[in-house]
Amino acid sequence: MTDANTDNIARLLQQRSFIELGARQRARALLDAGSFRELIDPFARVTSPWLPKQGIVVQADDGVIVAKGTIDGEPAVVAAIEGAFQGGSLGEVGGAKIAGALELAAEDNRKGIPTRALLLLETGGVRLQEANLGLAAIAEIQSAIVDLRQYQPVIGLIAGPVGCFGGMSIAAGLCSYLLVTQEARLGLNGPQVIEQEAGIDEYDSRDRPFIWSLTGGEQRNASGLVDAYVVDDLEVISEQVRSLFKQGVPVLERSRRHAWFLERLTALDATSQLDAAQVRSLYQGEQP
Amino acid sequence: MQTLSFQFSAGQPAQGRALVGCVGSGDLEVMLEPGTSGTLAIEVVTSVNGSDARWQQLFQRMFSEQQMPALNISIHDFGATPGVVRLRLEQAMEALADD
């Protein structure tokens, strides 16, 4: 066995996967050790009033974990979405938990407590069973991000396997910094929705390499649409989150550089379908 | 969807509380909280209708083997098999002991 192989095996054995963690474990793992304090915890039993009416079993925390704590000793709030419950969809309760946490963090900043925020995004977007209430909550999350990011960084982390879609992909785009793994996907519409609208010839949602080549973490990073691309290792992710917080508030958030992106999209020739490499060069102005 | 209630005899109330699992496909969420002395009360909300007998058998087998502390157990089930249910319940009891 070569030394490189031995090194790889040693690293694999030591590596702690972040993707394999549940939402609560993720939130706990990224806050400073021992600082995790959950707000509206599952024993408070604030659950969706709409799911049982439609014959769907609720989860005690509505799939959203909100926790206060510290990151590098600084006050922080973490909101983690549980992708395994209803595809991480956001309804009235879960959405309000995230929006409320971000709004309170902005209030704290105005009172002189410099609270930062970390969003662990694993969501298909709005919970269709809660329709407008979910959409309203997502709109509140988006405006809360824009409010809070002027004081302290709001970091979005998409680890996978669900990815981040729908209105929450817009919320991700509003974050001060966005962090992804190879397993992550980021897109406005999910693959099945696009397939249904565009046809299977144009977009086959079961073709995983194709889907990831267009919306996967690596592609989004190469296209300059995220700020960091990390391996699925808890230590590495934790360090990367801390180093982004250290950078402080960005001079100009990506969402405020819309003119730059629009200029490129206007120049786009959409007569033939783009492939991954063309998208990268469109956003970077050079071949990858 | 169906809501089921079960009761078994138990010892003194448990200390602390625990939550394990997730309401994901083939999985369930189990919450343990201290109960009324002498009673083990279980409420199951399950996505699978007509599964009363299966839950009854499973709990009977588990709780006749050992004296349980008095607990209120709340279960949100999304089609877990009996094996998964048992593992989650045992995991929850361990989490309670570690608490």
Side-chain angles (χ1 to χ4, degrees):
Chain A
M1 195 181 288
T2 64
D3 283 353
N5 270 340
T6 321
D7 284 354
N8 280 341
I9 291 167
R11 193 168 47 81
L12 264 174
L13 289 174
Q14 278 176 4
Q15 189 170 325
R16 280 181 61 201
S17 168
F18 181 80
I19 296 173
E20 286 174 16
L21 299 179
R24 187 167 285 102
Q25 294 169 300
R26 288 179 176 193
R28 194 184 289 275
L30 290 180
L31 284 167
D32 291 346
S35 75
F36 175 95
R37 179 169 62 86
E38 188 166 352
L39 307 179
I40 319 182
D41 70 34
F43 294 97
R45 289 185 161 79
V46 184
T47 58
S48 164
W50 310 106
L51 292 181
K53 292 179 202 289
Q54 294 165 74
I56 299 168
V57 180
V58 299
Q59 181 160 297
D61 54 21
D62 202 34
V64 171
I65 287 87
V66 170
K68 286 295 292 284
T70 56
I71 290 177
D72 274 342
E74 297 293 331
V77 62
V78 179
I81 304 173
E82 177 53 70
F85 174 61
Q86 295 294 325
S89 62
L90 284 185
E92 185 185 17
V93 171
K97 279 166 86 169
I98 301 179
L102 294 171
E103 285 163 11
L104 288 172
E107 273 306 309
D108 271 357
N109 276 283
R110 282 188 275 272
K111 287 186 211 145
I113 307 162
T115 308
R116 44 184 58 180
L118 176 60
L119 304 177
L120 309 181
L121 303 169
E122 212 62 70
T123 171
V126 67
R127 182 177 295 161
L128 297 177
Q129 294 90 343
E130 306 193 23
N132 294 351
L133 295 169
L135 288 172
I138 290 175
E140 284 172 8
I141 291 169
Q142 290 165 351
S143 46
I145 293 172
V146 173
D147 185 18
L148 177 58
R149 74 179 187 184
Q150 50 183 330
Y151 306 110
Q152 286 289 321
V154 178
I155 297 180
L157 165 59
I158 308 168
V162 175
C164 184
F165 295 97
M168 287 306 287
S169 70
I170 301 174
L174 291 168
C175 288
S176 314
Y177 303 106
L178 199 53
L179 194 61
V180 294
T181 68
Q182 186 182 28
E183 184 81 8
R185 285 175 298 165
L186 172 64
L188 190 56
N189 287 126
Q192 282 165 323
V193 176
I194 302 177
E195 179 188 294
Q196 189 181 313
E197 296 304 316
I200 197 162
D201 292 337
E202 185 167 328
Y203 208 90
D204 182 353
S205 68
R206 284 175 304 176
D207 184 349
R208 290 171 64 91
F210 170 72
I211 298 301
W212 259 265
S213 80
L214 292 175
T215 61
E218 191 181 7
Q219 169 73 0
R220 293 315 197 190
N221 183 52
S223 307
L225 293 167
V226 300
D227 301 278
Y229 177 62
V230 283
V231 294
D232 175 29
D233 182 327
L234 177 54
E235 286 295 310
V236 176
I237 290 176
S238 177
E239 272 167 33
Q240 186 66 62
V241 164
R242 280 163 173 75
S243 107
L244 286 171
F245 273 127
K246 276 202 190 81
Q247 288 182 29
V249 174
V251 182
L252 196 61
E253 286 87 0
R254 184 177 294 99
S255 68
R256 288 167 65 205
R257 281 186 267 130
H258 48 80
W260 188 91
F261 287 100
L262 280 174
E263 194 185 297
R264 269 150 185 81
L265 288 171
T266 314
L268 167 71
D269 173 15
T271 46
S272 64
Q273 195 175 351
L274 294 186
D275 62 17
Q278 286 168 317
V279 174
R280 291 181 189 199
S281 74
L282 173 73
Y283 284 128
Q284 293 190 330
E286 57 184 335
Q287 292 295 329
Chain B
M1 191 180 78
Q2 207 172 9
T3 304
L4 309 166
S5 298
F6 303 90
Q7 268 202 12
F8 296 88
S9 66
Q12 290 301 305
Q15 300 292 312
R17 52 192 197 180
L19 177 144
V20 298
C22 171
V23 192
S25 181
D27 204 348
L28 74 163
E29 174 180 67
V30 177
M31 298 166 83
L32 305 185
E33 289 167 286
T36 318
S37 186
T39 308
L40 177 69
I42 310 170
E43 195 193 75
V44 179
V45 180
T46 173
S47 59
V48 184
N49 290 340
S51 54
D52 324 31
R54 192 154 51 80
W55 289 98
Q56 175 70 34
Q57 298 285 344
L58 175 78
F59 292 142
Q60 213 155 13
R61 180 176 293 181
M62 268 193 89
F63 301 142
S64 62
E65 288 168 1
Q66 49 181 323
Q67 167 81 310
M68 294 288 290
L71 284 165
N72 289 327
I73 302 182
S74 172
I75 289 175
H76 293 132
D77 169 56
F78 217 66
T81 59
V84 172
V85 175
R86 179 160 188 150
L87 282 170
R88 284 293 186 205
L89 278 166
E90 285 174 358
Q91 184 192 6
M93 291 305 296
E94 267 192 40
L96 198 65
D98 291 344
D99 202 25

